[in-house]
Amino acid sequence: QGGEALTNVNNLGTSAGSVKYVGTVGPYTVKAFTGADYYNLEINGSGATYNGVASLDIDGTFTLTAGTFAQGANTMNVAGTFSIANLATFTMATGAQALTLDGTGNLTDSNAVTKQDLGAVSITTNSTRTQTTAVKMTSLTIASGSTYSLAGNTFEFLAAAAVSNSGTFQLQ
């Protein structure tokens, strides 16, 4: 229930399966491994903070159900859907480190009042990302061969000239 330590975990499957961090006291550290770290990762700890202390590579989905996830001074790669539930908090990287969406999936921030700043978001080559709600980010880079679709949703940037597009940027 969140207070346990992960030890001798070296062979998590990165082609299937899920890891869920739960706990309500914290703070907790999200374990990083060599290579791909997780297939599906869920953070579900109301009132707790989960800190990324190294770069994370998630080959499936990232779901922030409850609590706070702090990216720290690290990169974060997510190949599948990236989702933030209402009242959950995503704290972007403390530097210029990117949140890289490197596969096909949705981008969702279900917070009803204040959208979370996702920081520097990068859509890598041959990736497709569909925004399913309004989102907020510092900047957006769309690589050649990639598609980013707003799907009719709004987005907000914190800097002028925040979009760098070498791929396809769809409004609908």
Side-chain angles (χ1 to χ4, degrees):
Q1 289 290 20
E4 296 84 9
L6 288 174
T7 58
N8 298 321
V9 180
N10 296 313
N11 296 312
L12 284 177
T14 57
S15 60
S18 298
V19 173
K20 179 190 253 185
Y21 284 82
V22 296
T24 57
V25 180
Y28 301 106
T29 299
V30 176
K31 178 111 171 116
F33 304 92
T34 303
D37 300 307
Y38 301 94
Y39 186 70
N40 296 316
L41 176 62
E42 180 179 357
I43 306 296
N44 187 1
S46 183
T49 297
Y50 293 82
N51 297 303
V53 295
S55 295
L56 286 175
D57 186 2
I58 302 161
D59 282 354
T61 63
F62 173 79
T63 306
L64 179 53
T65 305
T68 298
F69 176 80
Q71 187 176 341
N74 310 292
T75 59
M76 183 174 176
N77 291 50
V78 179
T81 293
F82 181 96
S83 178
I84 303 171
N86 189 35
L87 302 177
T89 302
F90 179 86
T91 304
M92 67 179 179
T94 56
Q97 299 85 1
L99 168 59
T100 300
L101 304 174
D102 58 0
T104 298
N106 294 329
L107 176 60
T108 304
D109 181 351
S110 296
N111 277 290
V113 179
T114 303
K115 297 299 177 186
Q116 306 300 300
D117 184 357
L118 303 177
V121 176
S122 177
I123 311 300
T124 60
T125 302
N126 299 321
S127 296
T128 301
R129 196 57 51 162
T130 302
Q131 187 178 306
T132 61
T133 62
V135 298
K136 181 178 180 179
M137 57 187 78
T138 302
S139 64
L140 173 64
T141 301
I142 305 168
S144 176
S146 291
T147 301
Y148 186 83
S149 175
L150 293 177
N153 293 293
T154 61
F155 66 110
E156 176 184 350
F157 292 103
L158 295 180
V163 177
S164 173
N165 181 20
S166 297
T168 302
F169 188 45
Q170 298 175 334
L171 300 178
Q172 289 294 321

